[in-house]
Amino acid sequence: QVQLAESGGGLVQPGGSLRLSCAASGTVFSIYAMGWYRQAPGKQRELVATISNSRTTNYADSVKGRFTISRDNAKKTVYLQMNSLKPDDTAVYYCKQSRGGGYDYWGQGTQVTVSS
């Protein structure tokens, strides 16, 4: 059974930081690309960041310079370090594993709320 378990979400003030984790189990990990997506109330899910099996990274323009995606293959975990958080970053953040050919796996999400 493939499982992706997100953690690390919570309530932070504007300008604060959070680090999200996504731990994979029941799956090969190192050969697959991973990504973080988010969905705010009333909006569609959007890509935040991706990291390939060779650790090539891509970011949405809205988070460039503030967020960093990384992976630890030994721990089967992908991270999203979020700095200088803004209220617009408030969303449920989801982890995704892409196996190619349209075969994707998703976590259940973790809530991030940025508010004073």
Side-chain angles (χ1 to χ4, degrees), residues 49-108:
T50 62
I51 184 166
S52 73
N53 62 338
S54 61
R55 292 186 170 86
T56 298
T57 58
N58 289 284
Y59 298 91
D61 288 342
S62 59
V63 306
K64 284 182 179 177
R66 300 189 297 120
F67 291 10
T68 302
I69 188 171
S70 61
R71 65 192 296 160
D72 185 334
N73 289 337
K75 296 181 179 179
K76 292 187 174 182
T77 301
V78 62
Y79 304 96
L80 185 68
Q81 178 66 47
M82 304 185 294
N83 299 325
S84 301
L85 283 162
K86 306 174 181 179
D88 285 348
D89 295 320
T90 296
V92 177
Y93 284 71
Y94 298 91
C95 176
K96 185 184 81 171
Q97 181 184 75
S98 299
R99 297 193 175 194
Y103 293 92
D104 300 330
Y105 291 86
W106 293 87
Q108 291 300 119

Side-chain angles (χ1 to χ4, degrees), residues 6-53:
E6 300 100 333
S7 62
L11 174 65
V12 296
Q13 292 183 301
S17 297
L18 283 174
R19 189 176 79 154
L20 306 183
S21 298
C22 172
S25 61
T27 177
V28 174
F29 183 81
S30 64
I31 66 172
Y32 297 121
M34 303 292 297
W36 286 97
Y37 294 72
R38 67 186 182 188
Q39 187 166 23
K43 296 185 178 181
Q44 292 190 333
R45 191 171 297 185
E46 64 177 353
L47 184 148
V48 176
T50 62
I51 184 166
S52 73
N53 62 338

